[in-house]
Amino acid sequence: MTITSDDRERYQTAVGDFHTQPEADNCLPTALKNILDELADRKDEPNLRYSVSDLGEALDYVKNRASASDRLAARIDPLLQEAGWEVNHMTGVGYDQLQAIIDSDDRSLPICEFHEQYFEDVSQHTEGYTPEPGLDGFGRWKHVVVPFKINDDTVLYFDPYIQFFNNLDDIDELGAMNVPIQSFNEWWSRPEKRWALWLEPSKQQTLSAAFEDQ
């Protein structure tokens, strides 16, 4: 099974306005802005919109040292509180779970972390590209992408790093990476704890809605 034209059409609708990362090491604030913007459009919720710099500040981003990797919910949730959303950050996520998150209308698109081997593998398909992944041994992220469609053979995802790639065969003008699932699994599974991050309605909001329905 391959990525279909319908999959790509849905991808273009969802991420046509996505941003690429302005710095080589601020993929996390950029990816977070992208999934927030997509969710804001889908839910008509302007309070979910933040700039890359605002999100970078919340994530303790420092140029050339990437973003902090601790206390993610504590860093991001205060920005989402007024809109009634919160972070869900889970390790050990399976592919069925990941696709269910992607398909859910009540969740944002997810973010996944890649091992720096990703840069080394992708650089084999570029001309004159020297990968410089973010630092990780000091509480820093390596690299993150936004998966959009997963099937038995292939994963379609958006990489905010697109503008730093050169002559990459597997990428289109909208930043869609279309790779074998074996490759995605290798990059996603190699970090110490494979994780995914997404946004969903806050538990307090869900509880309040349940009482209102009674």
Side-chain angles (χ1 to χ4, degrees), residues 81-206:
Q81 198 167 35
E82 184 176 350
W85 292 76
E86 65 184 10
V87 169
N88 196 326
H89 177 255
M90 184 180 296
T91 59
V93 180
Y95 285 101
D96 288 344
Q97 290 174 289
L98 195 61
Q99 186 60 53
I101 294 165
I102 294 168
D103 291 339
S104 173
D105 188 55
D106 291 324
R107 298 184 179 102
S108 73
L109 292 166
I111 294 172
C112 293
E113 179 196 27
F114 275 176
H115 190 270
E116 64 261 26
Q117 181 67 39
Y118 170 66
F119 288 105
E120 297 179 19
D121 292 345
V122 171
S123 70
Q124 297 174 8
H125 304 286
T126 66
E127 294 181 2
Y129 172 63
T130 302
E132 295 181 2
L135 302 175
D136 186 63
F138 304 93
R140 306 285 155 172
W141 299 114
K142 297 178 181 177
H143 188 54
V144 297
V145 299
V146 180
F148 185 78
K149 178 67 179 180
I150 301 164
N151 58 39
D152 293 340
D153 303 314
T154 309
V155 181
L156 176 68
Y157 64 93
F158 177 87
D159 186 346
Y161 204 87
I162 176 177
Q163 68 181 24
F164 296 100
F165 289 130
N166 297 309
N167 301 321
L168 190 59
D169 293 337
D170 294 328
I171 199 165
D172 68 15
E173 68 276 6
L174 287 174
M177 301 283 286
N178 186 6
V179 301
I181 195 169
Q182 294 91 340
S183 297
F184 189 95
N185 188 62
E186 174 72 13
W187 301 324
W188 189 33
S189 296
R190 289 190 64 176
E192 183 177 350
K193 291 183 178 180
R194 183 174 83 183
W195 60 265
L197 176 154
W198 65 94
L199 312 174
E200 57 188 34
S202 65
K203 295 178 180 63
Q204 185 62 43
Q205 183 190 51
T206 304

Side-chain angles (χ1 to χ4, degrees), residues 52-63:
V52 172
S53 59
D54 286 342
L55 294 168
E57 182 177 351
L59 293 165
D60 194 26
Y61 169 74
V62 178
K63 188 176 179 179

Side-chain angles (χ1 to χ4, degrees), residues 47-80:
N47 287 332
L48 289 171
R49 294 188 180 279
Y50 286 90
S51 67
V52 172
S53 59
D54 286 342
L55 294 168
E57 182 177 351
L59 293 165
D60 194 26
Y61 169 74
V62 178
K63 188 176 179 179
N64 297 323
R65 289 192 60 82
S67 302
S69 60
D70 63 324
R71 301 184 298 110
L72 266 187
R75 293 176 183 278
I76 301 171
D77 281 352
L79 301 178
L80 312 179

